[in-house]
Amino acid sequence: MSDQNFDVEQDVATFFTKTTVTRSACDLRATELVDGGLQLVPVQGACSYTVYAGPELGSVIQFRLKSLVLPLKTMELAHQIYGTLAPEVALEGQIGQDDDDGREALVVYVMSRMQGISRLDFILAYGFPEDTPKSCDARLTLIKDAATFFALSWKSPQIFEQAQLEKLQQEYERDLRSLLLALPPRFHDAIRRCLRALPSIMALPTVLAHKDFGDFNMLVDPDTCHLLGVIDWAEAKMEPFGLNLYAVENLMSKFHLRNGASRYPNYDTLYDTFWQTLKAEIGPDLDDAEIHTIRSAMLLGFLLDRGFTSRLANMCEPVPVSDNDRGGAYSMLVLDSYLSRAETRFPFLTDMH
């Protein structure tokens, strides 16, 4: 987690510069869809405007940019695989029109409100000091639940045609070789490990993976920090198991915009517990060789995410990051924290140094 400040009203104002629809028109549409109250969701996404609505504010109404519609089949599949940890979503049409200045119409969705508070809100309320028994127990609880969450996808493998797998492998190899050319030599060992492991990674189960498993999107119990739900499945995709596991590092470390990552006091316990729980949930057939491959997949996912500019559908084609701009410098700091700094790099990279 970074130490940035959040201004929800500024986020909302920025969002409405991207659309032809006004905030008041969205609020009116929300009250038409669900009778009752209306309240702004305290954390807003860059590509959507979201409110609670209805009696006891029991519904969520989300207005998304037309270029970033929610894939409803993916949402249905997520609910089948992850059960109550994924929301049920209904499409309620479109408001507004695209214009010649690049502003977009909005697509409207209604979903039931999931219980809990965001992990970010939990940390702000209860996460300090970081070494108290309550803070350590909360992190341990959540890391176990996160492992169980990821294991659900392993238990529900998806069918992918061989041609699709081969195309995906070619894309991964192309991107990794681009990183070899663009990133500094200190990252090359990690990139080469992924290249060597690609055939084994592609043999892992193909799963539906959540691609933004972060503090905003995890809903937890405000008393225990048990995981109650995961929201924002807009970028979910089919890929080999493990590519999104790097997100759990955020549950064991915090991130400072100037100094990079630092580990929580009970990091070693959290790390061991995650892998022990994942193995127990998947079952006894998961051997050490597969664990090694899953960790290579995790490394691949991290490099593809942090080594490139944004992969959002409405953004420019992603290119390797550099430290020539503010965003690139931040990405380099993330890469350094988890790939090259001895005190914070992924523990399974130790044998590479």
Side-chain angles (χ1 to χ4, degrees), residues 12-283:
V12 170
T14 299
F15 170 75
F16 280 102
T17 65
K18 306 173 185 177
T19 176
T20 56
V21 185
T22 64
R23 180 175 178 176
S24 59
C26 290
D27 290 345
L28 177 61
R29 180 66 176 135
T31 57
E32 291 171 347
L33 288 169
V34 184
D35 290 334
L38 194 71
Q39 179 180 302
L40 183 68
V41 172
V43 177
Q44 296 285 320
C47 304
S48 61
Y49 171 66
T50 311
V51 295
Y52 297 132
E56 300 181 355
L57 302 176
S59 296
V60 177
I61 317 293
Q62 186 171 87
F63 302 84
R64 296 187 64 86
L65 294 175
K66 183 181 174 182
S67 62
L68 292 169
V69 297
L70 291 176
L72 289 184
K73 288 186 178 180
T74 298
M75 300 298 299
E76 292 171 2
L77 182 59
H79 192 70
Q80 292 173 17
I81 295 170
Y82 297 95
T84 58
L85 293 172
E88 293 185 274
V89 181
L91 173 65
E92 295 293 344
Q94 175 181 307
I95 58 174
Q97 300 292 331
D98 297 347
D99 70 10
D100 295 335
D101 295 325
R103 296 184 301 166
E104 300 182 38
L106 299 179
V107 181
V108 189
Y109 301 90
V110 177
M111 57 197 86
S112 58
R113 183 175 179 179
M114 303 181 76
Q115 297 299 306
I117 62 174
S118 72
R119 180 182 180 247
L120 174 64
D121 287 333
F122 185 92
I123 292 172
L124 294 175
Y126 309 111
F128 305 98
E130 295 167 351
D131 58 352
T132 65
K134 180 178 177 63
S135 294
C136 291
D137 288 347
R139 287 192 291 269
L140 190 60
T141 294
L142 185 55
I143 206 74
K144 291 177 182 177
D145 288 351
T148 301
F149 170 82
F150 286 114
L152 289 172
S153 66
W154 178 284
K155 297 174 184 178
S156 298
Q158 303 301 302
I159 297 175
F160 235 41
E161 299 293 337
Q162 185 61 34
Q164 293 174 293
L165 287 172
E166 290 174 358
K167 181 181 178 182
L168 195 57
Q169 182 171 345
Q170 290 169 4
E171 292 174 2
Y172 291 157
E173 182 170 356
R174 179 202 64 204
D175 286 349
L176 288 169
R177 294 199 181 281
S178 294
L179 292 180
L180 267 181
L181 293 174
L183 293 184
R186 63 184 180 275
F187 303 129
H188 288 186
D189 283 349
I191 298 169
R192 291 192 180 99
R193 169 172 172 164
C194 292
L195 283 167
R196 291 192 301 270
L198 266 183
S200 297
I201 291 172
M202 301 311 298
L204 292 169
T206 300
V207 301
L208 178 66
H210 192 284
K211 298 302 289 181
D212 192 8
F213 192 73
D215 291 338
F216 296 142
N217 294 331
M218 285 179 278
L219 300 179
V220 302
D221 186 289
D223 296 318
T224 64
C225 206
H226 272 297
L227 183 67
L228 299 180
V230 181
I231 59 175
D232 196 355
W233 291 78
E235 301 301 315
K237 63 188 298 186
M238 299 293 185
E239 63 186 21
F241 181 84
L243 264 75
N244 61 343
L245 291 191
Y246 65 88
V248 301
E249 195 68 27
N250 187 50
L251 307 183
M252 303 183 282
S253 307
K254 57 182 180 177
F255 201 87
H256 192 281
L257 289 175
R258 291 184 296 275
N259 303 324
S262 59
R263 293 175 171 177
Y264 285 127
N266 58 336
Y267 179 92
D268 290 342
T269 298
L270 295 171
Y271 182 85
D272 292 342
T273 298
F274 175 80
W275 290 102
Q276 290 165 5
T277 305
L278 184 71
K279 187 170 184 177
E281 289 290 332
I282 289 176

